[in-house]
Amino acid sequence: MRKKIAAGNWKMNTNPEDGLKLASQVVQMAQDESISDTTIIMSVPYTHIERIKKIIPPTKNILIAAQNCHQEVSGAYTGEISAPMLQYLGVDCVILGHSERREYNKETYAELKTKTRIVLKHQMTPIFCCGEKLATREESAHFDLVKEQLSSSLFEFNAIEFAQLIIAYEPVWAIGTGVTASSEEVQEMHHFIRYTIAKKYGESVAKQIPILYGGSVKPENAQTLFSCPDVDGGLIGGASLDAKGFIDIAKSF
Ligand code: 13P
């Protein structure tokens, strides 16, 4: 049985005080609603990690994530943050290769491979993002691109390493646009991703990897998306900034 995951990606939103309030509400509601068989992840800005970590109960189903980290462990990289720094703060997961970072920070396949290695080495779980732009889908090149994103950055890892990953499929055209991919489009791609993993690492690894969908997930569409057989949850942007909405999504399995 794969884990069901509702992961909020707050991006560059909230100040530390409002972020703490939001996280406290999420924790409280998760407890009130007795959500225990869904893993809730909050991917918060770096400045919020330390204070939010303190209010997370030791139940293991509420986790804290960072939204990126540098590929080197230390050094002259002004403005960057390293995996050991995040590990020291008790971070559980790190989002890597989000399309916004691929686009604005020109993250390369090779960098993402090194980042994934560093995150694994520091006992955190990479949430590795992939997904195509609209033009790529219109050229019917979306499967090839997603395969390339996975294979170029991840397929040098051995099966034990790879089995620790969470994959997030986020079609760029559905992020922050209000346009959600249809459940058929999502299932088709998730199935393809699992098939691609199975070909490389075998069925048993493929079966255990959580594959999340991201792109305009809301309380209204979460149930339909999460009922797809190869969808194990969501990576949720805008809707994760409202505690009730986010918890409603987490209850949609
Ligand atoms: P939205 O849910 O706001 O579309 O963002 C998705 C996303 O980018 C999560 O990482």
Side-chain angles (χ1 to χ4, degrees):
M1 238 321 239
R2 287 189 296 274
K3 274 192 218 159
K4 299 177 222 160
I5 300 173
N9 176 9
W10 295 6
K11 308 192 179 182
M12 196 173 70
N13 291 299
T14 73
N15 66 35
E17 193 182 328
D18 292 340
L20 181 63
K21 275 190 210 147
L22 173 57
S24 310
Q25 288 169 350
V26 168
V27 168
Q28 187 63 52
M29 287 181 194
Q31 286 171 340
D32 291 349
E33 304 273 356
S34 308
I35 298 179
S36 57
D37 52 1
T38 296
T39 302
I40 290 176
I41 304 176
M42 290 183 280
S43 309
V44 306
Y46 302 132
T47 44
H48 301 25
I49 292 171
E50 199 163 10
R51 64 179 75 195
I52 291 176
K53 182 71 190 172
K54 290 197 181 111
I55 59 137
I56 293 186
T59 47
K60 299 273 182 237
N61 78 312
I62 304 183
L63 305 177
I64 189 158
Q67 299 171 16
N68 173 45
C69 79
H70 196 264
Q71 60 269 31
E72 299 293 335
V73 289
S74 65
Y77 300 100
T78 303
E80 295 290 346
I81 193 148
S82 74
M85 294 171 189
L86 297 174
Q87 182 188 30
Y88 184 89
L89 294 179
V91 165
D92 303 291
C93 311
V94 183
I95 295 178
L96 293 176
H98 192 282
S99 60
E100 286 150 15
R101 292 202 58 87
R102 289 182 194 260
E103 176 78 12
Y104 306 136
N105 300 78
K106 306 287 172 242
E107 290 191 335
T108 64
Y109 294 158
E111 271 166 15
L112 289 172
K113 188 195 307 181
T114 316
K115 287 186 183 204
T116 305
R117 186 176 295 120
I118 288 282
V119 167
L120 286 171
K121 192 167 166 229
H122 290 86
Q123 279 91 48
M124 298 178 288
T125 302
I127 302 175
F128 187 90
C129 302
C130 57
E132 80 286 356
K133 292 183 183 171
L134 187 57
T136 308
R137 180 166 279 262
E138 284 172 348
E139 289 162 12
S140 298
H142 45 303
F143 294 112
D144 286 346
L145 178 81
V146 167
K147 186 174 173 185
E148 184 180 300
Q149 289 172 332
L150 297 174
S151 62
S152 305
S153 296
L154 301 179
F155 280 8
E156 277 175 29
F157 293 105
N158 65 37
I160 293 168
E161 292 163 333
F162 192 89
Q164 296 170 53
L165 301 177
I166 296 172
I167 304 291
Y169 169 60
E170 300 205 304
V172 179
W173 46 274
I175 295 177
T177 57
V179 179
T180 318
S182 70
S183 49
E184 291 77 21
E185 288 167 328
V186 173
Q187 170 55 25
E188 187 185 35
M189 182 57 89
H190 281 227
H191 180 76
F192 173 76
I193 291 171
R194 208 176 294 289
Y195 166 79
T196 304
I197 296 170
K199 263 184 39 188
K200 170 72 186 168
Y201 291 103
E203 280 291 335
S204 83
V205 172
K207 271 194 189 141
Q208 75 187 71
I209 299 281
I211 307 177
L212 312 182
Y213 167 76
S216 299
V217 177
K218 304 181 212 57
E220 303 81 59
N221 59 25
Q223 203 163 7
T224 312
L225 292 162
F226 295 174
S227 63
C228 299
D230 284 299
V231 175
D232 303 304
L235 183 55
I236 301 121
S240 70
L241 297 170
D242 172 64
K244 169 141 186 359
F246 181 52
I247 290 294
D248 284 344
I249 292 171
K251 290 193 313 189
S252 299
F253 289 96

